[in-house]
Amino acid sequence: MRIGIDLGGTKIEALAIDKDGRELVRHRVDTPRDDYRGTIDAMVGLVHRLEAETGTTGSVGAGIPGSISAKTGLVKNANSTWLNGRPLDKDLTAALGRDVRISNDANCFAVSEATDGAAVGSHVVFGVILGTGCGGGVAIDGRVHAGQNGVGGEWGHNPLPWPTEEEYPGPVCYCGKRGCMEMWVSGTGLARDYKQMTGRSRTAREIITDFEAGDKDAAVMVDRWEDRLARGLSNVINTLDPDVIVIGGGASRASHLYESVPKRLASYVFGGEADTTVVQAKFGDSSGVRGAAWLWPMVR
Ligand SMILES: [Zn+2]
């Protein structure tokens, strides 16, 4: 049995899967915000609950909104800021009395989709989460590629390539830079751009629904959004050239992008050839927690 934990800013979700990835049981609790010890206790409590209900002991993996620095062994880049500067993997390992694997939540997403999701069996998978923010993660042969600095896949903080005059220098990002991909292609970014153009407030989900119903303003916005997505992903292809790009998060339900973005890629990728498969995540919101469980990889 494998247990995955998805440590989010508001909820902690945990699930147990069997060796074939079938879900056995799942629970979620509120995240004890600003309480590091409480967060560990909540994670341990979930593991014990899953094990009591299944009568089995499992391996434990956890996805976190940040990464563990190879240099210091401490969490960094977490928007759940009370985790930053803490040795979460060591503390969780000690609290559970067994080895625990921890990775960035977007890396878990890529691992999930590479293991038994939309990119099953693919060699190199780039996972993109388009939600409130814009995450990215790399899985190679179903395993996390965290990278030397723990930032492998963090394309959300690369600048939007080939900006037009109106796009440069771009909005200020919480990371301190301007014009980051996240500011343009996340659901939040789409909504901000729409507001700027139309003066009206719509969520990304509403804009996508409007677009699908034939609304003209929404069509202009979605067209720009897809083009920015294609520009950003062409940088990923020029750098990593993954076999499959899997898209998850709330904005991944914009089904038009799976036709439009692959067509646009060729005009941006070096050499004009881009046969990369771009697909929607199979497991939706569950990919993060499933991927955390698969940090202990499936043996094929
Ligand atoms: Zn940024």
Side-chain angles (χ1 to χ4, degrees):
M1 184 172 84
R2 291 175 173 83
I3 292 173
I5 305 172
D6 185 16
L7 174 53
T10 54
K11 297 276 179 199
I12 305 174
E13 184 158 32
L15 99 172
I17 55 176
D18 71 9
K19 63 177 176 39
D20 300 315
R22 270 187 296 267
E23 185 173 326
L24 303 171
V25 59
R26 171 195 301 241
H27 290 294
R28 51 163 48 187
V29 295
D30 288 338
T31 304
R33 292 186 66 83
D34 302 315
D35 179 358
Y36 178 67
R37 196 64 239 176
T39 300
I40 300 241
D41 291 346
M43 293 167 89
V44 170
L46 282 164
V47 169
H48 288 158
R49 190 169 164 195
L50 296 179
E51 292 185 336
E53 287 176 19
T54 55
T56 317
T57 305
S59 59
V60 178
I64 64 166
S67 63
I68 298 204
S69 162
K71 199 186 276 180
T72 64
L74 307 174
V75 175
K76 63 174 182 178
N77 297 344
N79 52 8
S80 302
T81 50
W82 64 96
L83 303 174
N84 286 325
R86 303 284 194 155
L88 181 63
D89 54 343
K90 287 188 192 71
D91 288 341
L92 192 58
T93 292
L96 279 167
R98 75 189 89 161
D99 279 346
V100 174
R101 293 183 181 171
I102 290 186
S103 193
N104 174 265
D105 45 17
N107 289 338
C108 292
F109 168 79
V111 164
S112 165
E113 293 296 329
T115 301
D116 59 353
V120 60
S122 299
H123 174 42
V124 179
V125 175
F126 189 70
V128 172
I129 303 176
L130 299 176
T132 313
C134 162
V138 181
I140 300 177
D141 296 328
R143 296 176 193 231
V144 168
H145 172 73
Q148 178 65 24
N149 303 291
V151 293
E154 293 286 5
W155 78 309
H157 299 282
N158 284 351
L160 176 70
W162 305 288
T164 62
E165 252 172 61
E166 303 82 70
E167 288 169 339
Y168 186 80
V172 176
C173 180
Y174 65 86
C175 76
K177 305 282 200 292
R178 298 192 73 138
C180 290
M181 282 306 299
E182 174 157 334
M183 295 295 109
W184 296 109
V185 299
S186 62
T188 314
L190 173 61
R192 178 190 45 76
D193 199 34
Y194 183 91
K195 172 106 199 264
Q196 217 159 48
M197 190 190 81
T198 65
R200 282 176 284 139
S201 292
R202 301 284 276 163
T203 64
R205 177 194 282 258
E206 289 166 341
I207 296 164
I208 290 163
T209 305
D210 290 352
F211 166 74
E212 287 167 354
D215 179 87
K216 282 210 180 80
D217 284 346
V220 171
M221 302 314 302
V222 168
D223 182 74
R224 279 156 59 153
W225 179 68
E226 288 173 342
D227 192 70
R228 289 165 182 156
L229 199 51
R231 276 184 266 164
L233 290 175
S234 72
N235 269 9
V236 172
I237 295 173
N238 281 350
T239 311
L240 180 69
D241 207 351
D243 298 293
V244 182
I245 295 171
V246 188
I247 309 212
S252 69
R253 63 173 65 89
S255 54
H256 185 263
L257 81 85
Y258 304 101
E259 289 168 42
S260 158
V261 169
K263 278 187 205 147
R264 294 168 192 254
L265 284 174
S267 61
Y268 295 119
V269 168
F270 178 56
E273 207 178 292
D275 295 325
T276 314
T277 304
V278 181
V279 285
Q280 187 173 9
K282 177 177 174 185
F283 290 110
D285 293 343
S286 289
S287 248
V289 72
R290 290 182 64 88
W294 289 126
L295 290 177
W296 297 86
M298 182 186 270
V299 180
R300 291 185 192 278

